[in-house]
Amino acid sequence: MTTLIGSRIYDDAIYATDRPVPSLWEETAGPEPEDDGKLAGEAATEVAVIGGGIAGLSLVWHLTRRHGIEAVALDAGKIGWGASGRNGGFVSMGYTKRSLDDLARSFSQDEARTVFAAQKAACDYVIDVARSEGLEIDLAGRGEYIVAHRPDRMASLRAKSAAMKAQFGEDWPVFTKEELQEQGYASPEAHGGIYVPHGTGLHPLKYTYGLLGLARSHGGRVHSHSAVVRWERDGSGQHVLHTQDGGRLRARTVVVATNGFTTEGLDGRFDGVTLPALSNILVTWPLTQAERQAQGYTTDVPVADSRNLLFYIRLLKDGRLLFGGRGGTSASEAAGQRYGNYTHRRLTEVFPAWKEVEITHRWRGFVCLTADLVGRVGLFPDDRQTGFLFGCHGSGVAMSGYAAKFLAARIAGAGFNEPFPQCFQRVPQRFPLPSLRVPALAAAYAWYRLKDEVLPA
Ligand SMILES: Cc1cc2nc3c(=O)[nH]c(=O)nc-3n(C[C@H](O)[C@H](O)[C@H](O)COP(=O)(O)OP(=O)(O)OC[C@H]3O[C@@H](n4cnc5c(N)ncnc54)[C@H](O)[C@@H]3O)c2cc1C
């Protein structure tokens, strides 16, 4: 088994980069587009990007196309091996777990507004890229429902809708349980909800493959199966990245875009700054029209519930249900099986009419948390030849590409006329006790489970 090197905080099985994760997306994305294969021998470029997911590929594309800067992405696995090829396909507002009010308290009201504006722009960005570049990525369902999983969660959803109106002049309509049912979403765990008028759903691996084509369309190079195992600087200050099979890539600038799969032990500035967290997805067989009607769930608008540890739910275009949620704190195969079974049981509770429905695919992968729950995108102020682009907090499909566009402009020394928050640009911060990241996550899960399921809202 080929695995990513470095001190890892989960079981080896999850880092096996020599085989794709068997997801629905792998089965339905069509033929894998050509990349530049394994990096062999000596090579040089202006910007080297470690990580060939949505973030890394988008960065190569923007650097080469917009700024005429030579760029190369290296990925340890096939392209799309990481979270980019195996996520739920929600194009949603994210890159932080913190609420806008919380961000306003920590930074400023203006900063919270900029985060909100960037999150919206990131959702539009994906739709614009798909349209302008002619990417066939199965865009489906405009916006997103957030449904109250308990009746007492409606108050906070109503408050959120009112705050959107008051602070941003935005209409985020509130629906009762019955109105939600009329719109095609019924579940014993849906007591009403709100509609977020931003984002959509897509086929994530088709999107990633589309970005691979774009990354290479202006001379960018993308090397799969090229894990970086050593990173040093030569006498002239150039970076030298050594890959697993003896390749060497020299570059003026290196950007780390490895998100939840960040390899520790390459450069101390990236050790202990990310907390990978498992997310878990089940997919059913294609549900017939009659099966969908029996449950009263027919809408293609993506759905998330009001839990802190939320379920994310989509009906795909062929009628399959995609049901995702957190994936526990052990990445062993056995724990994966157990967690998959637990998620299946919860699926049948959320959709009782689908008790007998068969699960055809299940897989999991890492999202990426940071110590202060805010993503990081920028260059080190004291070393502008090293950059970072990670910290999706479970929702990076939209922001990863938009943030890459921002970072490409920064690297080029060019302006960026769109909103991009300062708080994302701060230097990555180490967790206080990095070796206790996973136990701390387990404790946080226990607390949030209590809040979600037991304590009053
Ligand atoms: C199960 C699941 C469901 C999700 N659902 C959603 C969703 O519905 N909506 C949403 O917005 N977000 C979702 N996410 C998060 C989303 O997938 C990520 O935000 C996004 O894919 C991040 O892209 P990336 O390019 O930063 O990272 P990744 O796609 O994870 O890419 C990082 C890459 O770095 C490579 N790498 C690591 N170390 C090295 C090294 N040493 N050398 C070379 N390469 C290396 C890895 O091989 C990997 O391919 C989900 C994630 C998971 C796991």
mmCIF file of all heavy atoms in Angstrom, residues 15 44 46 52 55 80 127 143 162-163 174 178 188 203 205 209 216 256 266 351 354-355 375 409 422 428 431 436:
data_model
loop_
_atom_site.group_PDB
_atom_site.id
_atom_site.type_symbol
_atom_site.label_atom_id
_atom_site.label_comp_id
_atom_site.label_asym_id
_atom_site.label_seq_id
_atom_site.Cartn_x
_atom_site.Cartn_y
_atom_site.Cartn_z
ATOM 1 N N TYR A 15 -5.009 6.911 4.334
ATOM 2 C CA TYR A 15 -4.024 7.651 3.537
ATOM 3 C C TYR A 15 -3.519 6.847 2.329
ATOM 4 O O TYR A 15 -2.493 7.193 1.755
ATOM 5 C CB TYR A 15 -2.831 8.044 4.412
ATOM 6 C CG TYR A 15 -3.191 8.950 5.570
ATOM 7 C CD1 TYR A 15 -3.382 8.445 6.842
ATOM 8 C CD2 TYR A 15 -3.339 10.328 5.381
ATOM 9 C CE1 TYR A 15 -3.704 9.276 7.911
ATOM 10 C CE2 TYR A 15 -3.652 11.158 6.442
ATOM 11 C CZ TYR A 15 -3.843 10.631 7.704
ATOM 12 O OH TYR A 15 -4.159 11.462 8.743
ATOM 13 N N ALA A 44 11.508 22.247 -13.100
ATOM 14 C CA ALA A 44 11.489 23.567 -12.456
ATOM 15 C C ALA A 44 10.243 24.317 -12.886
ATOM 16 O O ALA A 44 9.689 24.081 -13.963
ATOM 17 C CB ALA A 44 12.736 24.355 -12.853
ATOM 18 N N GLU A 46 7.776 28.225 -11.725
ATOM 19 C CA GLU A 46 7.718 29.405 -10.843
ATOM 20 C C GLU A 46 6.974 29.083 -9.554
ATOM 21 O O GLU A 46 7.445 29.377 -8.469
ATOM 22 C CB GLU A 46 7.032 30.566 -11.571
ATOM 23 C CG GLU A 46 7.916 31.189 -12.647
ATOM 24 C CD GLU A 46 7.193 32.318 -13.347
ATOM 25 O OE1 GLU A 46 7.127 33.425 -12.789
ATOM 26 O OE2 GLU A 46 6.692 32.084 -14.460
ATOM 27 N N GLY A 52 -3.506 18.448 -5.489
ATOM 28 C CA GLY A 52 -4.163 18.626 -6.796
ATOM 29 C C GLY A 52 -5.656 18.414 -6.704
ATOM 30 O O GLY A 52 -6.253 17.711 -7.509
ATOM 31 N N ALA A 55 -8.656 23.127 -4.904
ATOM 32 C CA ALA A 55 -7.835 24.289 -4.558
ATOM 33 C C ALA A 55 -6.583 24.351 -5.434
ATOM 34 O O ALA A 55 -6.319 25.371 -6.086
ATOM 35 C CB ALA A 55 -7.458 24.226 -3.074
ATOM 36 N N GLY A 80 -8.267 14.008 -7.959
ATOM 37 C CA GLY A 80 -9.588 13.792 -7.355
ATOM 38 C C GLY A 80 -9.541 12.756 -6.246
ATOM 39 O O GLY A 80 -10.578 12.389 -5.701
ATOM 40 N N ILE A 127 -20.665 28.466 -10.357
ATOM 41 C CA ILE A 127 -21.682 28.416 -11.413
ATOM 42 C C ILE A 127 -21.165 29.152 -12.658
ATOM 43 O O ILE A 127 -21.292 28.678 -13.785
ATOM 44 C CB ILE A 127 -23.015 29.007 -10.895
ATOM 45 C CG1 ILE A 127 -23.519 28.137 -9.727
ATOM 46 C CG2 ILE A 127 -24.054 29.095 -11.999
ATOM 47 C CD1 ILE A 127 -24.611 28.760 -8.885
ATOM 48 N N GLY A 143 -29.874 26.902 -4.575
ATOM 49 C CA GLY A 143 -29.995 27.246 -3.160
ATOM 50 C C GLY A 143 -29.869 26.026 -2.254
ATOM 51 O O GLY A 143 -29.340 24.982 -2.665
ATOM 52 N N ALA A 162 -34.446 36.582 9.862
ATOM 53 C CA ALA A 162 -34.683 38.003 10.178
ATOM 54 C C ALA A 162 -33.363 38.785 10.133
ATOM 55 O O ALA A 162 -33.304 39.918 9.622
ATOM 56 C CB ALA A 162 -35.328 38.130 11.561
ATOM 57 N N ALA A 163 -32.287 38.167 10.633
ATOM 58 C CA ALA A 163 -30.982 38.848 10.638
ATOM 59 C C ALA A 163 -30.490 39.068 9.201
ATOM 60 O O ALA A 163 -29.901 40.114 8.887
ATOM 61 C CB ALA A 163 -29.974 38.025 11.421
ATOM 62 N N VAL A 174 -38.804 31.710 5.429
ATOM 63 C CA VAL A 174 -39.039 30.690 6.462
ATOM 64 C C VAL A 174 -40.238 29.858 6.025
ATOM 65 O O VAL A 174 -41.228 30.402 5.557
ATOM 66 C CB VAL A 174 -39.381 31.374 7.814
ATOM 67 C CG1 VAL A 174 -39.635 30.331 8.904
ATOM 68 C CG2 VAL A 174 -38.281 32.339 8.232
ATOM 69 N N GLU A 178 -45.449 22.092 6.935
ATOM 70 C CA GLU A 178 -46.385 21.792 5.849
ATOM 71 C C GLU A 178 -45.925 22.447 4.548
ATOM 72 O O GLU A 178 -45.993 21.847 3.467
ATOM 73 C CB GLU A 178 -47.803 22.292 6.207
ATOM 74 C CG GLU A 178 -48.481 21.545 7.352
ATOM 75 C CD GLU A 178 -47.841 21.814 8.717
ATOM 76 O OE1 GLU A 178 -47.304 22.933 8.918
ATOM 77 O OE2 GLU A 178 -47.857 20.908 9.582
ATOM 78 N N PRO A 188 -39.748 13.039 9.410
ATOM 79 C CA PRO A 188 -40.064 13.268 10.831
ATOM 80 C C PRO A 188 -39.028 14.184 11.479
ATOM 81 O O PRO A 188 -39.267 14.701 12.565
ATOM 82 C CB PRO A 188 -40.000 11.864 11.453
ATOM 83 C CG PRO A 188 -39.776 10.904 10.352
ATOM 84 C CD PRO A 188 -39.497 11.628 9.086
ATOM 85 N N HIS A 203 -21.708 17.497 -9.446
ATOM 86 C CA HIS A 203 -20.971 16.228 -9.414
ATOM 87 C C HIS A 203 -19.511 16.602 -9.134
ATOM 88 O O HIS A 203 -18.823 17.144 -9.999
ATOM 89 C CB HIS A 203 -21.099 15.544 -10.775
ATOM 90 C CG HIS A 203 -20.528 14.161 -10.845
ATOM 91 N ND1 HIS A 203 -19.220 13.862 -10.506
ATOM 92 C CD2 HIS A 203 -21.090 12.985 -11.221
ATOM 93 C CE1 HIS A 203 -19.001 12.568 -10.679
ATOM 94 N NE2 HIS A 203 -20.131 12.007 -11.109
ATOM 95 N N LEU A 205 -16.590 15.092 -8.753
ATOM 96 C CA LEU A 205 -15.432 14.586 -9.505
ATOM 97 C C LEU A 205 -15.445 15.128 -10.937
ATOM 98 O O LEU A 205 -14.388 15.422 -11.503
ATOM 99 C CB LEU A 205 -15.393 13.053 -9.481
ATOM 100 C CG LEU A 205 -14.095 12.438 -10.021
ATOM 101 C CD1 LEU A 205 -12.854 12.990 -9.323
ATOM 102 C CD2 LEU A 205 -14.136 10.913 -9.907
ATOM 103 N N TYR A 209 -12.354 17.062 -12.444
ATOM 104 C CA TYR A 209 -11.783 16.722 -13.760
ATOM 105 C C TYR A 209 -11.830 17.936 -14.698
ATOM 106 O O TYR A 209 -10.917 18.165 -15.484
ATOM 107 C CB TYR A 209 -12.544 15.552 -14.385
ATOM 108 C CG TYR A 209 -12.205 14.185 -13.811
ATOM 109 C CD1 TYR A 209 -12.995 13.068 -14.118
ATOM 110 C CD2 TYR A 209 -11.106 13.994 -12.974
ATOM 111 C CE1 TYR A 209 -12.689 11.801 -13.615
ATOM 112 C CE2 TYR A 209 -10.810 12.737 -12.463
ATOM 113 C CZ TYR A 209 -11.597 11.645 -12.780
ATOM 114 O OH TYR A 209 -11.297 10.406 -12.288
ATOM 115 N N ARG A 216 -4.464 22.645 -17.121
ATOM 116 C CA ARG A 216 -3.457 22.314 -18.130
ATOM 117 C C ARG A 216 -3.648 23.113 -19.423
ATOM 118 O O ARG A 216 -2.828 23.040 -20.335
ATOM 119 C CB ARG A 216 -3.513 20.823 -18.441
ATOM 120 C CG ARG A 216 -3.191 19.957 -17.207
ATOM 121 C CD ARG A 216 -3.289 18.478 -17.504
ATOM 122 N NE ARG A 216 -2.155 17.968 -18.242
ATOM 123 C CZ ARG A 216 -2.226 17.229 -19.345
ATOM 124 N NH1 ARG A 216 -3.412 16.931 -19.859
ATOM 125 N NH2 ARG A 216 -1.151 16.797 -19.956
ATOM 126 N N VAL A 256 0.902 25.284 -0.172
ATOM 127 C CA VAL A 256 0.368 24.045 0.400
ATOM 128 C C VAL A 256 -1.159 24.091 0.284
ATOM 129 O O VAL A 256 -1.808 24.952 0.878
ATOM 130 C CB VAL A 256 0.800 23.903 1.875
ATOM 131 C CG1 VAL A 256 0.099 22.718 2.535
ATOM 132 C CG2 VAL A 256 2.317 23.733 1.946
ATOM 133 N N LEU A 266 6.964 17.980 6.753
ATOM 134 C CA LEU A 266 7.627 18.518 5.555
ATOM 135 C C LEU A 266 8.217 19.891 5.852
ATOM 136 O O LEU A 266 9.319 20.221 5.448
ATOM 137 C CB LEU A 266 6.632 18.657 4.395
ATOM 138 C CG LEU A 266 6.136 17.383 3.715
ATOM 139 C CD1 LEU A 266 5.109 17.734 2.647
ATOM 140 C CD2 LEU A 266 7.298 16.605 3.096
ATOM 141 N N PHE A 351 -35.742 9.066 7.014
ATOM 142 C CA PHE A 351 -36.649 8.739 5.890
ATOM 143 C C PHE A 351 -37.233 7.341 6.099
ATOM 144 O O PHE A 351 -36.787 6.368 5.480
ATOM 145 C CB PHE A 351 -35.893 8.800 4.556
ATOM 146 C CG PHE A 351 -35.242 10.129 4.308
ATOM 147 C CD1 PHE A 351 -33.864 10.245 4.209
ATOM 148 C CD2 PHE A 351 -36.015 11.277 4.177
ATOM 149 C CE1 PHE A 351 -33.258 11.469 3.993
ATOM 150 C CE2 PHE A 351 -35.418 12.510 3.965
ATOM 151 C CZ PHE A 351 -34.044 12.613 3.876
ATOM 152 N N TRP A 354 -37.999 4.653 3.488
ATOM 153 C CA TRP A 354 -36.895 4.055 2.720
ATOM 154 C C TRP A 354 -36.092 3.051 3.553
ATOM 155 O O TRP A 354 -34.906 2.830 3.318
ATOM 156 C CB TRP A 354 -35.981 5.167 2.169
ATOM 157 C CG TRP A 354 -36.695 6.054 1.200
ATOM 158 C CD1 TRP A 354 -37.856 5.765 0.539
ATOM 159 C CD2 TRP A 354 -36.326 7.371 0.778
ATOM 160 N NE1 TRP A 354 -38.243 6.812 -0.262
ATOM 161 C CE2 TRP A 354 -37.306 7.830 -0.132
ATOM 162 C CE3 TRP A 354 -35.266 8.218 1.079
ATOM 163 C CZ2 TRP A 354 -37.257 9.077 -0.741
ATOM 164 C CZ3 TRP A 354 -35.217 9.465 0.463
ATOM 165 C CH2 TRP A 354 -36.197 9.890 -0.436
ATOM 166 N N LYS A 355 -36.808 2.429 4.503
ATOM 167 C CA LYS A 355 -36.162 1.427 5.382
ATOM 168 C C LYS A 355 -35.530 0.290 4.602
ATOM 169 O O LYS A 355 -34.468 -0.209 4.953
ATOM 170 C CB LYS A 355 -37.216 0.844 6.335
ATOM 171 C CG LYS A 355 -37.355 1.582 7.635
ATOM 172 C CD LYS A 355 -37.988 0.699 8.700
ATOM 173 C CE LYS A 355 -37.885 1.322 10.065
ATOM 174 N NZ LYS A 355 -38.572 2.623 10.169
ATOM 175 N N GLY A 375 -10.767 29.271 7.792
ATOM 176 C CA GLY A 375 -9.826 28.807 6.762
ATOM 177 C C GLY A 375 -8.649 29.760 6.578
ATOM 178 O O GLY A 375 -8.655 30.889 7.080
ATOM 179 N N ALA A 409 -3.786 36.054 -7.529
ATOM 180 C CA ALA A 409 -3.562 37.507 -7.668
ATOM 181 C C ALA A 409 -2.512 37.980 -6.675
ATOM 182 O O ALA A 409 -1.627 38.785 -7.013
ATOM 183 C CB ALA A 409 -4.881 38.257 -7.465
ATOM 184 N N GLN A 422 -9.914 39.504 5.467
ATOM 185 C CA GLN A 422 -8.590 39.526 6.104
ATOM 186 C C GLN A 422 -8.397 38.323 7.019
ATOM 187 O O GLN A 422 -7.308 37.778 7.121
ATOM 188 C CB GLN A 422 -8.437 40.795 6.969
ATOM 189 C CG GLN A 422 -8.324 42.085 6.184
ATOM 190 C CD GLN A 422 -7.021 42.162 5.411
ATOM 191 O OE1 GLN A 422 -6.033 41.554 5.784
ATOM 192 N NE2 GLN A 422 -7.032 42.889 4.297
ATOM 193 N N PRO A 428 -1.362 30.461 9.407
ATOM 194 C CA PRO A 428 -1.944 29.306 10.098
ATOM 195 C C PRO A 428 -1.426 29.193 11.529
ATOM 196 O O PRO A 428 -0.254 29.449 11.797
ATOM 197 C CB PRO A 428 -1.457 28.114 9.258
ATOM 198 C CG PRO A 428 -1.150 28.675 7.914
ATOM 199 C CD PRO A 428 -0.717 30.093 8.134
ATOM 200 N N PHE A 431 -2.451 24.189 16.729
ATOM 201 C CA PHE A 431 -3.328 23.773 17.827
ATOM 202 C C PHE A 431 -2.511 23.770 19.120
ATOM 203 O O PHE A 431 -1.328 23.402 19.107
ATOM 204 C CB PHE A 431 -3.899 22.378 17.558
ATOM 205 C CG PHE A 431 -5.085 22.398 16.633
ATOM 206 C CD1 PHE A 431 -4.911 22.459 15.257
ATOM 207 C CD2 PHE A 431 -6.373 22.373 17.145
ATOM 208 C CE1 PHE A 431 -5.999 22.498 14.400
ATOM 209 C CE2 PHE A 431 -7.469 22.404 16.299
ATOM 210 C CZ PHE A 431 -7.281 22.465 14.919
ATOM 211 N N LEU A 436 -3.106 15.998 20.833
ATOM 212 C CA LEU A 436 -4.424 15.685 21.419
ATOM 213 C C LEU A 436 -5.575 16.163 20.526
ATOM 214 O O LEU A 436 -6.716 16.285 20.987
ATOM 215 C CB LEU A 436 -4.538 16.330 22.804
ATOM 216 C CG LEU A 436 -3.559 15.808 23.853
ATOM 217 C CD1 LEU A 436 -3.794 16.482 25.197
ATOM 218 C CD2 LEU A 436 -3.686 14.288 24.017
#
